[in-house]
Amino acid sequence: MEHHPLLFQCLLFTFLMHFTSTHSVKIPRLSPIPTWDTSLHHPATFDAKTSTDNINTFYYKQLLDHFNYRPQSYKTFQQRYLINFKYWGGANSSAPIFAYFGAEEAIDYSPEGIAFLTDNAASFNALLVYIEHRYYGKSVPFGSREEAFKNASTIGYFNSAQAIADYASVLIHVKKTLHAPNSPVIVIGGSYGGMLASWFRLKYPHMAIGALASSAPILYFDDITPQDGYYSVVSRDYREASETCYQTILQSWSEIDSVASQPKGLSLLSQRFNTCRPLNKSSDLKEYLENMYASAAQYNHPPIYPVTVICGGIDKGSFGSDILSKIYAGVVALRGNTTCKVNAPSNVSETTLGWRWQNIKLSLQKFGSNIIFSNGLRDPYSSGGVLENISDTVVAIHAINGSHCLDIMGANANHSDPEWLVEMRNKEIKIMKGWISQYYVDLLALNGTIKL
């Protein structure tokens, strides 16, 4: 099979340039973990070792630039990665390695949040490796976030092509250190990390025997799918939950502008929505609500189902029968009524600063293999996902009621996951075991132990 690294670089460049120039952060970022989950754990200070004794933290001396040969390209930074050895069968048995690709946030919460890996590692005898994306968490070049984001000469190294080259270097180092040259690697990622996993399989097929790309909207950023597709799915989710809720939300936008245009209107809105700080313009409130609605749809996970929670609050109207009181009831239903929520001071992080910076079907068909694209059709980002099999080995698995990255979040402890979700994960596991079985057959043949 012939591979085309130049074509791949062009695809990555197209994605980065198109995304930077045409998309705003109004659409929730590409993360497998909802922002309200990570905020509870304060990922900037959360120590992975407090989550589980099985996690070991390491640092790799990573090259700043993998693609040029100027003197500054040889600068290095410390890239963090985590390893869980608990389930590994060891190098002597060539037991597999599952590598989770961190995306646009610190890696601390991933071992606990991406429980699909720990749920299934024992059945694979797999080593679990979690690699942090450059410029996030504790893997920031140039010594500090301020220096790393200072100007174009420093932030220019912050791109997806460099990131997957980082992952390749770390995996080579891990396999060498553990004397495990024959351990097959499967790369796994969710959302933006899912795109990285699929690109890694295309770019470095000798490094990974396969990739599981959960909720990876690789078609969304190249005008292959309609650019209003994301919010079309959001609207559909709310209409399916409650038509009256949907109509109330629809009417609320003009109502917010109408109240804001009145004398002391912004003050009235600030009081009505219990804002953390006075609103300066109506768009502050509307953007908060847009993000809340979209995030709830994107992460409409069972058993909570945030869209249903919001619509239940709106339809019940506990704070009054007028439109804005109903909308506030929806906010309280999701966020609670204990503290202010709207227009809160922002917590600046690498994600806040970095996420803005950052004809594929034919390419996948011609030189792609062993990639699973999984999607939940209630996830707005599924509008840019691969929803049909590209080939016999580049396959699409989707669930009508699924949400963003739900399949890799791990099973509920009380075994309450719906049957369709269990079946979805079982399909993924079966395919991955097939990759590994075929790898061992090929390895034995290559070593001359058996003849095909």
Side-chain angles (χ1 to χ4, degrees):
M1 183 182 296
E2 184 180 1
H3 300 274
H4 304 278
L6 180 59
L7 173 59
F8 176 81
Q9 295 286 354
C10 290
L11 289 171
L12 283 187
F13 180 79
T14 300
F15 160 71
L16 288 168
M17 294 302 103
H18 183 78
F19 180 77
T20 302
S21 61
T22 63
H23 291 75
S24 74
V25 291
K26 289 184 180 179
I27 292 179
R29 62 188 176 88
L30 285 165
S31 170
I33 303 171
T35 53
W36 59 78
D37 275 3
T38 56
S39 64
L40 295 176
H41 293 271
H42 304 290
T45 58
F46 181 69
D47 186 350
K49 284 205 170 187
T50 65
S51 170
T52 170
D53 292 334
N54 299 316
I55 300 298
N56 293 268
T57 301
F58 301 91
Y59 288 87
Y60 175 70
K61 191 176 181 180
Q62 187 63 265
L63 272 178
L64 179 64
D65 187 353
H66 296 279
F67 306 113
N68 293 291
Y69 302 96
R70 297 172 297 178
Q72 58 266 39
S73 297
Y74 294 95
K75 291 182 178 179
T76 61
F77 66 97
Q78 294 295 308
Q79 183 166 19
R80 182 170 54 156
Y81 63 98
L82 314 175
I83 296 183
N84 185 339
F85 292 94
K86 179 179 179 180
Y87 310 97
W88 195 37
N92 290 338
S93 61
S94 299
I97 298 171
F98 289 173
Y100 177 75
F101 289 173
E104 72 282 11
E105 60 191 356
I107 202 73
D108 304 84
Y109 188 56
S110 295
E112 185 178 351
I114 310 301
F116 175 84
L117 276 70
T118 49
D119 286 349
N120 296 289
S123 67
F124 285 87
N125 295 319
L127 181 77
L128 304 183
V129 181
Y130 307 81
I131 311 175
E132 193 163 64
H133 193 298
R134 60 168 53 199
Y135 284 73
Y136 291 111
K138 296 182 179 178
S139 301
V140 180
F142 301 102
S144 69
R145 179 200 305 167
E146 290 72 23
E147 287 298 315
F149 288 85
K150 188 174 183 179
N151 53 47
S153 67
T154 58
I155 204 171
Y157 300 101
F158 182 18
N159 62 69
S160 301
Q162 297 281 7
I164 63 171
D166 290 344
Y167 298 146
S169 297
V170 171
L171 287 172
I172 290 171
H173 171 74
V174 168
K175 294 185 73 174
K176 182 178 179 181
T177 302
L178 298 178
H179 307 287
N182 293 327
S183 289
V185 175
I186 293 178
V187 296
I188 298 162
S191 206
Y192 167 52
M195 293 193 285
L196 294 173
S198 64
W199 293 333
F200 187 92
R201 171 61 186 163
L202 295 175
K203 176 67 173 175
Y204 302 106
H206 60 293
M207 288 290 304
I209 65 169
L212 170 57
S214 175
S215 297
I218 62 170
L219 308 181
Y220 193 82
F221 303 104
D222 205 18
D223 289 328
I224 297 173
T225 59
Q227 293 303 292
D228 63 350
Y230 183 96
Y231 278 107
S232 295
V233 178
V234 173
S235 296
R236 186 191 70 196
D237 287 353
Y238 281 87
R239 296 197 82 157
E240 289 180 353
S242 166
E243 179 66 27
T244 56
C245 168
Y246 169 78
Q247 292 297 335
T248 301
I249 293 172
L250 198 63
Q251 296 167 28
S252 70
W253 307 121
S254 59
E255 183 68 13
I256 290 171
D257 286 333
S258 175
V259 173
S261 65
Q262 299 171 10
K264 298 184 178 180
L266 289 173
S267 178
L268 290 173
L269 286 174
S270 299
Q271 294 174 16
R272 177 71 61 88
F273 284 88
N274 187 27
T275 61
C276 302
R277 296 174 297 175
L279 296 169
N280 294 317
K281 50 188 181 299
S282 62
S283 61
D284 291 340
L285 174 58
K286 291 195 293 185
E287 287 179 8
Y288 174 88
L289 293 172
E290 286 174 4
N291 186 68
M292 183 188 75
Y293 297 142
S295 295
Q298 183 169 315
Y299 301 103
N300 198 31
H301 298 342
I304 299 173
Y305 294 111
V307 170
T308 303
V309 171
I310 291 173
C311 279
I314 289 175
D315 288 341
K316 188 176 180 180
S318 301
F319 296 93
S321 59
D322 62 288
I323 290 175
L324 296 187
S325 292
K326 288 184 175 182
I327 295 297
Y328 180 64
V331 175
V332 172
L334 182 67
R335 305 294 198 207
N337 197 25
T338 54
T339 60
C340 67
K341 292 159 281 293
V342 182
N343 207 27
S346 59
N347 179 24
V348 177
S349 66
E350 295 86 10
T351 301
T352 310
L353 298 172
W355 179 232
R356 293 172 184 247
W357 179 258
Q358 290 214 298
N359 304 332
I360 189 67
K361 283 188 177 180
L362 181 62
S363 302
L364 287 168
Q365 189 177 51
K366 288 181 72 68
F367 65 92
S369 65
N370 287 13
I371 303 175
I372 302 169
F373 289 102
S374 63
N375 282 278
L377 299 189
R378 289 189 181 276
D379 172 19
Y381 271 122
S382 69
S383 61
V386 176
L387 303 179
E388 298 178 353
N389 291 351
I390 301 295
S391 68
D392 291 340
T393 60
V394 180
V395 298
I397 298 176
H398 60 261
I400 294 174
N401 293 318
S403 52
H404 197 62
C405 297
L406 181 60
D407 55 322
I408 63 171
M409 299 300 286
N412 283 330
N414 59 2
H415 305 287
S416 63
D417 285 329
E419 185 176 343
W420 55 262
L421 178 55
V422 175
E423 182 181 351
M424 184 180 191
R425 290 176 178 141
N426 287 340
K427 286 180 181 178
E428 296 167 355
I429 292 166
K430 182 178 179 180
I431 293 171
M432 292 164 65
K433 287 189 172 180
W435 294 340
I436 293 173
S437 296
Q438 185 60 51
Y439 170 82
Y440 288 142
V441 169
D442 295 341
L443 182 64
L444 287 170
L446 183 65
N447 290 338
T449 306
I450 61 172
K451 294 183 179 180
L452 294 179

